[in-house]
């Protein structure tokens, strides 16, 4: 998938990683960037086409798919998080709200735009995931669970969309310096770094991008010959 002359739809494009995607796509020669946001007035990046898109609303997603009928790359970036463990009194309500955006909306967007991508030659789908797809320490319990589900969704979509000639890329990273992580006193990557690595991987035809060192370390641990959390046998 090449970015030059591509037509791209980015969800949650008014700030953070989504905004960084919009800027880098334009810098790499994308022909058009649809910048999806709940409030189109919050999209201030010059050169993009603001698009009203609340990914939790099926009618917004359907309207976006109809409008962006020329799209060749969809970036499912929109996401939410909330601190707290599964034993908190409100954990069920929190989990439902987070899954609605981080999992069901990604599924909804992918289903709506897959036929458009196919009609335009295949293109690509890039899903913004997290190192939390693989680890859950309880601080962001529902968020981590939602990203695990979204990772599984992404892997399934890759198989289902192969016949459409649609590339499906999973982007995993640890903490990124955005509004979402403002309250965490931890090392963070810049959105610009993450986005450049993601688009480099997309243009190289990869299925997965591990965008920082912590994510690489976690994935290496998962792929060890005999992980310590599995039965050891005799």
């Amino acid at each position: 998938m090449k970015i030059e002359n591509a037509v791209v739809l980015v969800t949650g494009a008014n700030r953070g990683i989504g905004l960084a995607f919009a800027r880098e796509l334009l810098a790499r020669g994308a022909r058009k960037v649809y910048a999806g946001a709940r409030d189109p007035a919050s999209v201030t990046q010059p050169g993009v086409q603001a698009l009203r898109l609340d990914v939790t609303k099926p009618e917004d997603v359907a309207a976006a798919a109809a409008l962006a009928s020329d799209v060749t790359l969809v970036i499912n970036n929109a996401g939410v998080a909330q601190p707290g463990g599964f034993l908190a009194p409100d954990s069920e309500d929190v989990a439902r709200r987070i899954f609605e955006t981080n999992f069901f909306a990604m599924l909804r967007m992918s289903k709506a735009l897959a036929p458009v991508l196919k009609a335009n030659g295949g293109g690509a789908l890039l899903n913004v995931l997290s190192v939390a797809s693989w680890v859950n320490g309880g601080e962001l319990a529902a968020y981590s669970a939602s990203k695990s589900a979204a990772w599984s969704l992404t892997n399934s979509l890759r198989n289902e969309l192969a016949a459409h000639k649609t590339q499906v890329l999973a982007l995993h990273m640890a903490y990124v310096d955005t509004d979402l992580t403002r309250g965490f006193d931890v090392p963070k990557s810049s959105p610009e770094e993450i986005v450049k690595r993601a688009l480099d991987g997309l243009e190289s035809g990869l299925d997965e991008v591990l965008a920082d060192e912590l994510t690489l370390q976690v994935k290496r641990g998962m792929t060890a010959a005999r992980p310590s959390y599995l039965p050891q046998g005799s």
Side-chain angles (χ1 to χ4, degrees), residues 45-125:
Q45 173 62 37
V48 303
Q49 182 172 330
L51 182 66
R52 183 181 301 280
L53 179 55
D54 181 340
V55 293
T56 68
K57 293 182 176 179
E59 62 272 21
D60 276 17
V61 173
L67 177 66
S69 59
D70 53 349
V71 74
T72 59
L73 168 60
V74 177
I75 299 179
N76 283 315
N77 165 73
V80 295
Q82 182 173 326
F86 283 129
L87 297 182
D90 62 347
S91 64
E92 291 181 45
D93 290 338
V94 169
R96 287 189 181 94
R97 182 178 69 85
I98 289 175
F99 265 77
E100 182 56 42
T101 298
N102 295 0
F103 175 78
F104 288 107
M106 184 178 287
L107 172 58
R108 186 177 298 120
M109 284 289 299
S110 301
K111 287 174 65 178
L113 273 301
V116 179
L117 293 172
K118 181 181 180 181
N120 292 328
L125 188 68

Side-chain angles (χ1 to χ4, degrees), residues 13-233:
N14 56 323
R15 60 181 182 172
I17 295 173
L19 176 57
F21 265 118
R23 289 172 172 165
E24 184 66 17
L25 289 162
L26 291 172
R28 295 192 185 207
R31 177 158 51 92
K32 185 189 297 183
V33 176
Y34 295 102
R38 289 177 178 172
D39 177 10
S42 67
V43 177
T44 58
Q45 173 62 37
V48 303
Q49 182 172 330
L51 182 66
R52 183 181 301 280
L53 179 55
D54 181 340
V55 293
T56 68
K57 293 182 176 179
E59 62 272 21
D60 276 17
V61 173
L67 177 66
S69 59
D70 53 349
V71 74
T72 59
L73 168 60
V74 177
I75 299 179
N76 283 315
N77 165 73
V80 295
Q82 182 173 326
F86 283 129
L87 297 182
D90 62 347
S91 64
E92 291 181 45
D93 290 338
V94 169
R96 287 189 181 94
R97 182 178 69 85
I98 289 175
F99 265 77
E100 182 56 42
T101 298
N102 295 0
F103 175 78
F104 288 107
M106 184 178 287
L107 172 58
R108 186 177 298 120
M109 284 289 299
S110 301
K111 287 174 65 178
L113 273 301
V116 179
L117 293 172
K118 181 181 180 181
N120 292 328
L125 188 68
L126 192 163
N127 288 344
V128 177
L129 305 176
S130 171
V131 70
S133 304
W134 308 316
V135 292
N136 193 339
E139 300 90 353
L140 291 164
Y143 173 82
S144 297
S146 73
K147 289 298 185 179
S148 293
W151 178 44
S152 182
L153 168 63
T154 302
N155 291 335
S156 180
L157 288 171
R158 185 177 301 114
N159 290 317
E160 292 186 59
L161 293 177
H164 294 193
K165 302 187 184 304
T166 296
Q167 178 186 355
V168 179
L169 184 144
L171 170 62
H172 297 275
M173 66 281 187
Y175 291 101
V176 184
D177 191 11
T178 66
D179 291 346
L180 199 66
T181 63
R182 184 176 293 161
F184 295 92
D185 185 17
V186 294
K188 301 172 187 176
S189 301
S190 73
E192 291 75 18
E193 289 178 279
I194 298 301
V195 162
K196 286 177 181 178
R197 290 168 187 165
L199 295 181
D200 286 347
L202 185 73
E203 292 199 294
S204 296
L206 300 183
D207 291 340
E208 183 176 74
V209 169
L210 311 178
D212 55 36
E213 185 57 36
L214 177 58
T215 304
L216 284 165
Q217 290 175 10
V218 171
K219 190 64 183 288
R220 288 190 196 108
M222 290 174 59
T223 55
R226 191 183 290 270
S228 61
Y229 53 82
L230 294 180
Q232 296 302 300

